[in-house]
């Protein structure tokens, strides 16, 4: 019954001359990063990330609300990765200089204190110099600390 009512109301003969029928605009969905700063005012600066990988060095400008891996992939760099959730340990790096927020990752505190990070959960907090390392290097450290 509701559909027939809708059809009857949409016919021009039943509409008042003062009313016009305009379809509503399509719905748009916006994905908002949980780290996105929605406050008004100056945004934090982007950080210069120097990344050493496969014998070459690359520089990236990374926003505080994006991961280093995300930016590297956007720039076309071939960086090993898999889950992008901080659990598979496929995107390890050694943080030589700088500071990152990797609180979303699953590395043990001992490994993080030694300067290791997972690029998929590394949000820069300063300019950084990082070296992409083989997965096995990080995996052996993580497993060694798990046995302690």
């Amino acid at each position: 019954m509701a559909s027939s009512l809708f059809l009857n109301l949409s016919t021009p003969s039943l509409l008042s001359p003062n009313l016009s029928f305009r379809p509503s605009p399509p719905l748009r969905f916006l994905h908002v990063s949980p780290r996105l700063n929605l406050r008004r005012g100056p945004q934090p600066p982007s950080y210069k990330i120097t990344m050493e990988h496969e014998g070459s060095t690359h520089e990236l400008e990374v926003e505080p609300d994006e991961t280093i891996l995300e930016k590297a992939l956007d720039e076309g760099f071939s960086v090993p990765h898999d889950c992008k959730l901080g659990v598979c340990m496929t995107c390890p790096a050694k943080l030589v200089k700088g500071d990152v927020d990797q609180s979303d990752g699953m590395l043990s505190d001992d490994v993080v204190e030694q300067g290791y990070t997972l690029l998929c959960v590394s949000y820069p907090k300063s300019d950084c110099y990082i070296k992409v390392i083989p997965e096995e290097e990080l995996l052996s450290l993580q497993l060694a600390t798990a046995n302690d």
Side-chain angles (χ1 to χ4, degrees), residues 61-89:
E61 289 290 324
V62 182
E63 300 295 323
D65 64 341
E66 67 184 336
T67 67
I68 296 171
L69 176 66
E70 185 178 24
K71 185 63 172 191
L73 294 174
D74 286 349
E75 295 289 324
F77 298 120
S78 176
V79 181
H81 66 283
D82 191 12
C83 74
K84 297 183 183 178
L85 299 171
V87 295
C88 74
M89 291 192 259

Side-chain angles (χ1 to χ4, degrees), residues 11-148:
T11 57
S13 62
L14 295 177
L15 293 176
S16 166
N18 296 331
L19 297 177
S20 63
F21 177 74
R22 290 186 191 148
S24 61
L27 294 176
R28 293 190 180 150
F29 296 96
L30 175 67
H31 172 74
V32 178
S33 169
R35 296 181 186 276
L36 185 63
N37 181 1
L38 295 176
R39 291 177 281 147
R40 294 185 184 249
Q43 295 293 317
S46 60
Y47 296 108
K48 178 180 158 188
I49 308 299
T50 305
M51 183 172 66
E52 190 177 311
H53 179 52
E54 296 179 337
S56 59
T57 303
H58 311 281
E59 289 189 0
L60 306 167
E61 289 290 324
V62 182
E63 300 295 323
D65 64 341
E66 67 184 336
T67 67
I68 296 171
L69 176 66
E70 185 178 24
K71 185 63 172 191
L73 294 174
D74 286 349
E75 295 289 324
F77 298 120
S78 176
V79 181
H81 66 283
D82 191 12
C83 74
K84 297 183 183 178
L85 299 171
V87 295
C88 74
M89 291 192 259
T90 307
C91 58
K94 177 77 172 171
L95 186 61
V96 177
K97 181 181 131 191
D99 191 23
V100 297
D101 173 6
Q102 57 178 318
S103 58
D104 294 342
M106 301 297 286
L107 291 181
S108 67
D109 292 340
D110 294 349
V111 172
V112 171
E113 288 171 7
Q114 293 178 49
Y116 292 92
T117 187
L118 296 172
L119 296 177
C120 67
V121 291
S122 294
Y123 295 88
K125 294 170 63 178
S126 68
D127 293 343
C128 298
Y129 188 93
I130 58 172
K131 290 183 182 181
V132 178
I133 60 170
E135 181 180 354
E136 296 77 28
E137 181 180 334
L138 181 62
L139 191 56
S140 63
L141 285 170
Q142 183 72 6
L143 292 175
T145 59
N147 292 330
D148 292 340

